[in-house]
Amino acid sequence: MTAIPAPNPDSPHQLSNTQENLRQYVSAQIQQLSPERSPRASMARTAIRQDSSQTSSKSGRRTNIDTPTNSEPENAVPNVDDRTNDWVRRTAQAGALVRSNTDTGPGMSRLLVTERPQNAQENWELRHGYDELYNSAAYLAQLSANYFMYYTEKRHETGGKPRQVDPHDNTSEWRMRDRLKTVSAALVMCLNLGVDPPDVVKTNPTARMECWIDPAVAVPNNVKTMELIGKKLQEQYEGLSIRVRYKQYLDPSVEETKKYCLNLRRNAKDERILYHYNGHGVPQPTPSGEIWVFNRHYTQYIPVSLYDLQSWLGAPSLFVFDCSGAGNIIANFDTFKEKHEKEIAETKKNDPDFHQSSFGDNIQLAACGRNELLPTNPNLPADLFTCCLTTPIDISLQFFLLKHELDVPVNKKDLKKIPGRLAERRSPLGELNWIFTAVTDTIAWNCLPRATFKRLFRQDLMVAALFRNFLLAERIMRANGCSPCSVPGLPATTHNHSLWEAWDLTIEGVLKQLPAMIAAEEGGPPYEYQHSDFFTEQLSAFETYLSQGAPSQEAPSQLPVLLQVLLSQVHRLRALILLSRFLDMGAWAVELALTIGIFPYVLKLLQSAAFELKPVMIFIWARILAVDGAVQADLIKDNGYQYFLTILNPITTLPVPNASEHRAMSAFVLSMFCRHFSQGQMVCLSPELIEICTGHLQDTENPLLRQWSCLLISMLWVDYPEAKWVGIRSQAHQKLCEMALDPVPEVRAAALHALTNFLGIPDLTPQVKDYEESVACTIIIMTNDSNSMVRRELLVFFSTFVKRYQNKFLVVAFEQLLEEQRHLTQDDSFANSNLQHGTLSRRPSRLSTDSSADEAGTRKMSKGSIQGTMWLHILLLSIDPHPEVAQDAMTIMDYVHLKLLESPLGPRAQPLMNEIGRLSRKAEAAAARAQPPSRPASVAPNARRTPGASSPAPGNLPKNESYLSIGMRRTASMAAALKTFTFGSSESVPASPMPLPREPGQARRKRVPDEWSKPPDVYDPTSKPSTYVKAKEPKSKGFVETDPSVPPSIPLKSTFFEWSIEVFGPHTSKIRLLTLSNQYFGEPQMRPNEPDEPGSGDYNRKLFRRARNEKVLACTQPLKNIAGSSKWDQPCGFFNNGTQPTKMCLHQYEDHLAIADDRDSICIWDWSKSTRLNRFSNGNPTRSRINEVRFINEDDQALLLTGSSDGIVKIFRNYEQEKNIELVTGFRALTDLVPSTKNAGLVLDWQQGQGKLLVAGDVKDIPARSSSPLTSLTTDAVAGDMIIAGYGDGAIRVFDQRLKPQLAMVKVWRKHNQWITNVHMQRGGLRELVSGCRDGEVKLWDIRHKQEVATIRAVEGRAGDVGGGVAVMRGLSVHEHAPVFAA
């Protein structure tokens, strides 16, 4: 370890605080970061544009959880005394550096803020002129307020694949497919007025009223009284449902009972029948369930068996029994039902054609239990149960008046004078009925199972009304000594639910105003009715529920109330906004809302012209369709889809600031409307819609709108040629091709999805062929896209194109086999010639081979065709670093080869395949015998493999056995050949580069030994294959290997649209709705991920990691002062890696050490315990190695990034867990490597603050005016503008990426004479720029100066070293914050 010299020797790096102050402050910081005191993190997200050679992630810019609240000053420090806060403000204003900041830690500007004397002098000076920027209050505030996370988007967490659909998870169950309705009703009244039944002893006085009519005082004629009661009962039932055919049966006989029951079933067919039985004038039902009627002369009571009644009425039926001992009927009903079903089963055995409906769908309501008598309270009606079922408001008012005393004079007669009608919700009586419906629905919703609730309250209007009123009957009847029962049964908690108190409060509010309302109607002073605040309070309670986040996904009790509120224009907007917030919680919330019956309401609201409802209606429909898309036929009704077509049009104004996001949701709704629905495609298709969508592709602010505009066009084109021709005339396919360079991967994939569906116009004319081939030529560059999801979608396009032009691809594949066989034969002859003569001659170039082939008359027919180019790109994707991409490409290849063998070219193709396999096995065996003794150099993808050369064979990647490989194994030389065809031949690079011009004023450098320009590890031995144990290679999430026994088929099936539906929510950054009060509603926001949900387990673990990081930083910052003067001689652990380590990387906060060996394995160690946590393979091709290992997202859950010498970059999640490790992404960062015998492979640097991955190697992206390989790369990790690169000839070049590439190089230092081992700029500390070369010389630089700041001899040569005692520095590592480096 060596200390970096301080810039000012008179002012050493010291901190004036004491250890006690430090301990107190750390305790305060940990206490401050407790979950109880941490406000919720903001969910704002900002997209970062990135090139294809960089990472394809989005930056998550989130507010730090410990950001000061608005009531505090910007730089205030909670839990620190006032003097410290004053000192912080003074130092921030003065621009002094309080401490060495890191660009990745949250809340960095508030660490180590302890009391300092006001006269303390600070002489710290940052390198490179960064003082003004990094010491500014704005910069410190930015570090405190923001942290950055990458590769945490949905596409990375899900692998770009939709979740597996549970076959038992049917979202459309909310829609009652077997919806029934009650069509007929029999109102049976067995009263026998004037004669009491023999088994009933009535009290005196007793209850006498039937249907609110007193038989004793109504009319003297008993017959007319019966008719009046029957008519009144029918009127009460008509108040529940007027569409039912009612028939009164007053004191019927047995014969009449059988006759009308059979007629009812005959007329109702398979619909439900209502059978209402009032047995107040007959004996109680028998213990066996028999009910009583009369004989023809009314001289006897005749029993009717429940078995016969079931036979006559059949099913489905609804029974209401209002009589004493009605529980006997309920208790025996199932017994006779089972007897019927057994008889039907026996009959079907003898007669298979026999058909009889089941007796299972029967519902029963009974007034009391088996041994209970009906109430005889003279203040209540005799048919109390019937009154509860048919006139709930009247009986509720009377029941309340009997139980409570009011301070206003109200009697029973006044109850009939409440103004209004039941249907008028704004009248007092109508409001009572409205609130009663909401109360009973809410009680049922909260107490009943979901299946029972849907059956009883959403299947049949009559059943729903009766059961809604039955809840009231339970309350009133139990209060009078009876226990009503039903089938299906209800929980015992419904009669004492807390909402009944709210119902009583509502009744009390109306009755207290009743005298004033009666007086106003009788000519007194006018009175304005004060409406109940029931719905307002329930909406406030629902809003409280939403504010808690529903972490356990419990159904809100106020959801039925919300449904009722939608009927009111006064509360409608607020209810819709709250509904949108609830739907935003996830699919479970949408399913609950659909189950409760929200869909008919929001469907009808599409006909509303209310301007203020449009934004929230768009959002609600988007959430519904994201969960259940089977509502397309409903949108066609009344032209509901026009609602969204109008909003999608940019000329339509919306009362929200983010109109583009609502248009994106409209495009989503229309996409779901057209998906697999030809009628939707037909009604939506118009040139105007295509032009609107292509116009939205130019919206650079909202990628979601661009994405769903592409997908809407895609859904219009699916199996609809007329729509494709409309798109051609609008040049939509050309505008979609321009999306290949869109910075957002989802947009690029959506464009490919649309272009895939563009293919396939049935009439393949030359014009259509030109259109399709032009599209293919344009998007073929996306083979090098850094996002695996885009590459998979590209392969779907390729497979569709291959299937459409299959015969041409068979010719291309055959010519490729000929080319492969020719090259393998030449390689074999060339190798045999060298072995025989003991010489190494130059292999004939590929260009000359092609020329000779052309001269011989074997010119390739596919040369220059789009089919030939596409086939080579498919071959290239077959060795893609992402396993799913490679597997899809292999499927296309295997399909083509299989069809080739089945074609007329098959007899010629099979021998070619056999010969290729034989030559490949021979070449592999020769390569295994000729194991080189030294480290192989990296080889560019476009270099042909020559015998004896140390070139990697990318095709040797361990692949799954494909279908075709059962008969023929694909070879490494085929993969090498395809790269030659794709990127050009290696001979295109000159062997002797032209002399490069020198910089002005620079002297000619003396020639240095060639040894100095080689890597320090050039002579390191590599692990032999015989001793090397290959580790398991991690796969991407959800990766499923194809079954090799199943023949391949194309086109491939895309799942991008299904995945886009699932992640539709998280892309919407902020939904703001404009209310009538002109205030913006910031919620709902698409539901945040689980780690950002307060109270969740992931969120709490994130808080713990944040507090731990703060503690680590606070405790280690003082150690920087003694790091440069202390001895680093205390070992912390010993690790037997098992293989030769080449690269190591330490985690900033975890005790994790990542070690890469000289092959392709990575070991993860817990250095504090000397324990190996995991070992896995990076999947490198043969003879390539891992060049770089880095941790990213170290502030939270870190990911492991690796870079290999073949230009491949991979990122792993859960790298320390052997069972859960996943490949997040993998891509080819360098696609145009230049072949070199002394290169450094891939060199990279990760900018956490910028979200950029800088990748270099033997490429010519930024003109460097040097033929030496680039060996090391570093940047300013915060601003990220300056790039410093070290080269193999000892030169160090500084680039400013803000300038044009031709002018980017702003400085060159040539003070080193040998290979640059490493060059690094600190992320913290003084931002020291340190470089070291092969001879052990280390220099410090300032990019403002031409000369080095200091030079240190870090490594001295010793006798016996490689090179005859000459110093060789193999590695150089610089501490990010302390003035220390290790060499």
Side-chain angles (χ1 to χ4, degrees), residues 507-777:
I507 294 177
E508 182 180 0
V510 174
L511 294 182
K512 283 186 176 182
Q513 301 180 70
L514 183 57
M517 290 187 291
I518 295 176
E521 289 186 354
E522 294 177 351
Y527 181 79
E528 183 179 355
Y529 174 68
Q530 302 296 321
H531 293 280
S532 172
D533 56 357
F534 171 81
F535 289 109
T536 303
E537 292 176 350
Q538 292 297 314
L539 290 180
S540 299
F542 186 55
E543 192 169 3
T544 302
Y545 163 86
L546 294 174
S547 64
Q548 296 175 353
S552 59
Q553 297 186 0
E554 295 180 357
S557 59
Q558 300 82 13
L559 199 56
V561 178
L562 189 71
L563 185 67
Q564 293 297 321
V565 173
L566 291 178
L567 300 174
S568 170
Q569 293 184 357
V570 177
H571 304 288
R572 182 173 295 163
L573 180 58
R574 184 187 179 193
L576 286 174
I577 292 175
L578 293 177
L579 175 63
S580 65
R581 292 180 59 185
F582 176 66
L583 299 181
D584 192 28
M585 291 185 171
W588 65 273
V590 178
E591 292 174 7
L592 284 177
L594 294 174
T595 301
I596 199 64
I598 210 76
F599 183 76
Y601 293 82
V602 296
L603 181 62
K604 191 172 183 60
L605 284 176
L606 291 179
Q607 308 304 320
S608 174
F611 193 63
E612 67 277 3
L613 297 183
K614 290 184 181 296
V616 65
M617 284 296 297
I618 299 169
F619 180 80
I620 290 173
W621 271 95
R623 297 303 293 164
I624 291 175
L625 283 166
V627 175
D628 188 359
V631 295
Q632 295 141 317
D634 300 280
L635 284 175
I636 280 190
K637 297 176 182 177
D638 301 324
N639 296 327
Y641 66 94
Q642 290 286 351
Y643 192 88
F644 305 99
L645 284 174
T646 303
I647 295 172
L648 186 62
N649 196 325
I651 65 175
T652 304
T653 59
L654 292 174
V656 286
N658 55 345
S660 62
E661 293 182 355
H662 288 82
R663 291 194 174 94
M665 287 186 280
S666 296
F668 166 74
V669 172
L670 293 172
S671 300
M672 296 296 295
F673 175 60
C674 296
R675 183 189 183 204
H676 306 320
F677 190 54
S678 58
Q679 295 180 4
Q681 291 175 306
M682 294 173 61
V683 298
C684 285
L685 178 62
S686 66
E688 291 77 13
L689 179 59
I690 298 291
E691 292 176 359
I692 288 172
C693 292
T694 55
H696 287 319
L697 298 181
Q698 309 305 318
D699 188 337
T700 59
E701 299 297 328
N702 194 329
L704 187 66
L705 179 57
R706 302 198 302 272
Q707 175 186 349
W708 282 103
S709 296
C710 294
L711 292 177
L712 175 54
I713 297 175
S714 178
M715 291 298 102
L716 283 173
W717 281 348
V718 175
D719 299 329
Y720 195 17
E722 290 80 1
K724 298 177 184 180
W725 280 112
V726 172
I728 290 174
R729 287 189 286 271
S730 300
Q731 298 182 345
H733 61 293
Q734 298 179 6
K735 298 175 182 178
L736 286 170
C737 290
E738 297 175 1
M739 295 293 102
L741 301 179
D742 194 275
V744 180
E746 287 84 353
V747 178
R748 302 196 296 270
L752 285 172
H753 192 278
L755 292 172
T756 301
N757 288 326
F758 174 74
L759 302 176
I761 296 178
D763 189 8
L764 188 56
T765 62
Q767 183 184 12
V768 173
K769 177 176 173 293
D770 292 341
Y771 287 141
E772 295 181 346
E773 290 186 350
S774 66
V775 169
C777 291

Side-chain angles (χ1 to χ4, degrees), residues 854-1098:
D854 293 344
E855 294 173 358
T858 59
R859 180 182 296 272
K860 296 171 61 175
M861 297 177 60
S862 62
K863 186 175 183 180
S865 66
I866 181 58
Q867 286 80 12
T869 305
M870 183 178 293
W871 181 249
L872 296 178
H873 281 77
I874 294 173
L875 296 179
L876 177 63
L877 290 172
S878 69
I879 56 171
D880 193 89
H882 198 278
E884 294 181 358
V885 177
Q887 182 170 267
D888 289 346
M890 290 167 59
T891 300
I892 300 175
M893 291 178 56
D894 292 343
Y895 175 84
V896 173
H897 285 153
L898 184 63
K899 294 301 179 182
L900 177 62
L901 294 178
E902 297 173 357
S903 69
L905 291 174
R908 296 187 58 189
Q910 187 63 60
L912 279 177
M913 294 181 179
N914 297 336
E915 180 66 12
I916 290 173
R918 184 187 66 81
L919 293 174
S920 298
R921 289 190 295 270
K922 182 177 180 181
E924 290 175 359
R929 291 191 300 268
Q931 180 69 20
S934 62
R935 182 184 74 89
S938 303
V939 174
N942 59 347
R944 285 288 302 171
R945 184 167 58 88
T946 58
S950 55
S951 63
N956 286 345
L957 270 165
K959 299 290 184 194
N960 304 322
E961 291 291 337
S962 63
Y963 178 84
L964 189 63
S965 63
I966 297 177
M968 164 198 164
R969 294 181 58 88
R970 285 190 299 112
T971 64
S973 54
M974 180 182 293
L978 69 93
K979 290 185 177 181
T980 304
F981 302 146
T982 305
F983 297 109
S985 64
S986 59
E987 285 76 6
S988 61
V989 179
S992 300
M994 296 296 293
L996 297 174
R998 299 189 303 273
E999 288 78 1
Q1002 179 155 8
R1004 181 184 300 273
R1005 303 182 67 195
K1006 61 181 180 179
R1007 181 176 180 83
V1008 298
D1010 185 65
E1011 191 72 20
W1012 291 7
S1013 298
K1014 292 183 178 180
D1017 55 353
V1018 67
Y1019 295 110
D1020 290 350
T1022 57
S1023 301
K1024 296 182 179 180
S1026 59
T1027 61
Y1028 189 82
V1029 179
K1030 192 172 183 63
K1032 183 179 179 180
E1033 181 180 354
K1035 302 297 183 182
S1036 57
K1037 187 173 184 178
F1039 175 74
V1040 178
E1041 296 184 2
T1042 56
D1043 187 355
S1045 61
V1046 178
S1049 63
I1050 60 172
L1052 302 173
K1053 301 299 182 183
S1054 172
T1055 59
F1056 176 75
F1057 190 89
E1058 291 75 11
W1059 177 83
S1060 298
I1061 296 174
E1062 294 181 6
V1063 299
F1064 176 75
H1067 281 282
T1068 311
S1069 59
K1070 187 70 74 173
I1071 307 298
R1072 305 179 68 88
L1073 306 174
L1074 184 62
T1075 64
L1076 289 175
S1077 59
N1078 206 27
Q1079 294 178 349
Y1080 288 100
F1081 181 61
E1083 294 288 337
Q1085 178 184 344
M1086 287 298 185
R1087 186 168 183 260
N1089 296 330
E1090 184 70 12
D1092 302 301
E1093 196 64 51
S1096 65
D1098 289 341

Side-chain angles (χ1 to χ4, degrees), residues 294-310:
F294 303 97
N295 62 357
R296 291 184 178 181
H297 304 288
Y298 296 97
T299 59
Q300 291 181 346
Y301 299 110
I302 306 299
V304 176
S305 170
L306 192 57
Y307 176 85
D308 293 336
L309 189 64
Q310 290 178 348

Side-chain angles (χ1 to χ4, degrees), residues 47-59 150-153 155-156 742-746 748 784-791 1209 1211 1224-1227 1246 1251-1253:
I48 286 187
R49 298 172 62 93
Q50 293 163 329
D51 298 331
S52 60
S53 61
Q54 300 171 348
T55 61
S56 300
S57 67
K58 289 183 181 178
S59 69
Y150 303 95
Y151 289 97
T152 58
E153 299 294 330
R155 63 175 179 270
H156 304 124
D742 194 275
V744 180
E746 287 84 353
R748 302 196 296 270
N784 296 326
D785 196 290
S786 59
N787 186 269
S788 59
M789 181 175 63
V790 177
R791 298 198 300 274
V1209 171
I1211 298 178
V1224 178
T1225 186
F1227 56 93
W1246 167 253
K1252 294 180 180 179
L1253 180 66

Side-chain angles (χ1 to χ4, degrees), residues 25-80:
Y25 177 73
V26 171
S27 301
Q29 290 294 304
I30 299 304
Q31 181 181 4
Q32 175 201 347
L33 287 171
S34 63
E36 293 79 5
R37 306 185 61 178
S38 300
R40 178 178 176 177
S42 170
M43 285 299 299
R45 296 177 182 267
T46 304
I48 286 187
R49 298 172 62 93
Q50 293 163 329
D51 298 331
S52 60
S53 61
Q54 300 171 348
T55 61
S56 300
S57 67
K58 289 183 181 178
S59 69
R61 182 181 183 273
R62 305 183 177 97
T63 304
N64 190 10
I65 59 172
D66 47 359
T67 304
T69 60
N70 295 332
S71 60
E72 299 173 336
E74 182 178 357
N75 292 327
V77 182
N79 297 333
V80 184

Side-chain angles (χ1 to χ4, degrees), residues 230-462:
K231 183 179 180 180
K232 185 63 176 179
L233 179 62
Q234 180 173 337
E235 291 178 356
Q236 292 176 183
Y237 265 108
E238 287 176 348
L240 301 181
S241 178
I242 198 173
R243 296 184 178 180
V244 179
R245 298 188 298 267
Y246 297 98
K247 183 66 175 178
Q248 305 170 29
Y249 299 97
L250 309 179
D251 293 340
S253 63
V254 174
E255 293 78 4
E256 292 175 344
T257 301
K258 179 179 180 180
K259 181 179 179 180
Y260 68 68
C261 286
L262 292 176
N263 288 336
L264 283 175
R265 176 48 59 195
R266 186 183 305 110
N267 295 330
K269 298 181 180 179
D270 293 332
E271 299 291 348
R272 180 172 279 119
I273 296 175
L274 169 63
Y275 185 85
H276 179 96
Y277 175 78
N278 185 326
H280 295 175
V282 294
Q284 300 180 29
T286 63
S288 60
E290 297 172 313
I291 61 175
W292 298 89
V293 292
F294 303 97
N295 62 357
R296 291 184 178 181
H297 304 288
Y298 296 97
T299 59
Q300 291 181 346
Y301 299 110
I302 306 299
V304 176
S305 170
L306 192 57
Y307 176 85
D308 293 336
L309 189 64
Q310 290 178 348
S311 301
W312 299 337
L313 290 175
S317 298
L318 170 60
F319 297 90
V320 177
F321 300 106
D322 186 357
C323 57
S324 298
N328 289 323
I329 306 174
I330 303 298
N332 292 277
F333 197 94
D334 287 343
T335 302
F336 291 106
K337 182 190 72 173
E338 293 173 359
K339 183 177 180 181
H340 277 293
E341 291 178 348
K342 289 182 180 179
E343 292 177 354
I344 292 174
E346 291 293 334
T347 305
K348 284 185 175 180
K349 289 181 180 179
N350 301 327
D351 184 7
D353 298 332
F354 176 78
H355 174 71
Q356 176 67 37
S357 61
S358 173
F359 290 86
D361 190 8
N362 285 311
I363 300 174
Q364 303 109 50
L365 299 176
C368 57
R370 304 189 64 172
N371 301 316
E372 295 178 347
L373 299 177
L374 295 178
T376 57
N377 188 339
N379 296 319
L380 295 173
D383 60 344
L384 179 61
F385 184 66
T386 299
C387 290
C388 291
L389 294 181
T390 57
T391 57
I393 304 302
D394 295 338
I395 196 63
S396 294
L397 292 170
Q398 187 168 344
F399 179 74
F400 180 84
L401 198 60
L402 292 174
K403 293 294 183 181
H404 302 84
E405 294 183 2
L406 298 176
D407 53 1
V408 293
V410 177
N411 54 41
K412 289 185 178 180
K413 294 182 179 180
D414 295 336
L415 298 180
K416 300 294 184 179
K417 300 179 181 180
I418 297 178
R421 296 186 300 113
L422 293 177
E424 297 176 353
R425 286 188 293 271
R426 298 302 296 170
S427 66
L429 190 61
E431 187 179 58
L432 279 175
N433 185 58
W434 187 22
I435 295 176
F436 175 78
T437 303
V439 168
T440 51
D441 266 10
T442 304
I443 293 174
W445 170 258
N446 293 325
C447 297
L448 299 182
R450 294 289 174 261
T452 305
F453 176 83
K454 288 193 298 182
R455 180 189 176 194
L456 300 182
F457 288 84
R458 294 296 180 264
Q459 188 181 56
D460 188 340
L461 294 179
M462 175 63 80

Side-chain angles (χ1 to χ4, degrees), residues 2 1335-1338 1351-1356 1369 1372 1381-1383:
T2 306
D1335 62 356
E1337 188 178 65
V1338 177
T1351 301
I1352 303 170
R1353 173 61 63 177
V1355 178
E1356 300 290 345
M1369 185 168 67
L1372 173 67
F1381 68 85

Side-chain angles (χ1 to χ4, degrees), residues 1090-1157:
E1090 184 70 12
D1092 302 301
E1093 196 64 51
S1096 65
D1098 289 341
Y1099 184 81
N1100 293 335
R1101 284 187 288 271
K1102 178 181 290 186
L1103 289 178
F1104 166 76
R1105 287 190 293 268
R1106 199 75 49 75
R1108 177 207 60 190
N1109 298 351
E1110 298 278 2
K1111 181 179 178 181
V1112 169
L1113 290 173
C1115 294
T1116 55
Q1117 289 296 317
L1119 300 179
K1120 295 191 302 182
N1121 305 300
I1122 60 176
S1125 58
S1126 301
K1127 293 183 177 181
W1128 295 63
D1129 55 358
Q1130 297 182 3
C1132 296
F1134 173 77
F1135 318 106
N1136 183 9
N1137 199 56
T1139 54
Q1140 178 182 345
T1142 57
K1143 296 292 180 181
M1144 293 186 293
C1145 184
L1146 282 166
H1147 195 289
Q1148 284 196 96
Y1149 305 109
E1150 302 281 358
D1151 296 335
H1152 292 169
L1153 171 64
I1155 302 177
D1157 62 13

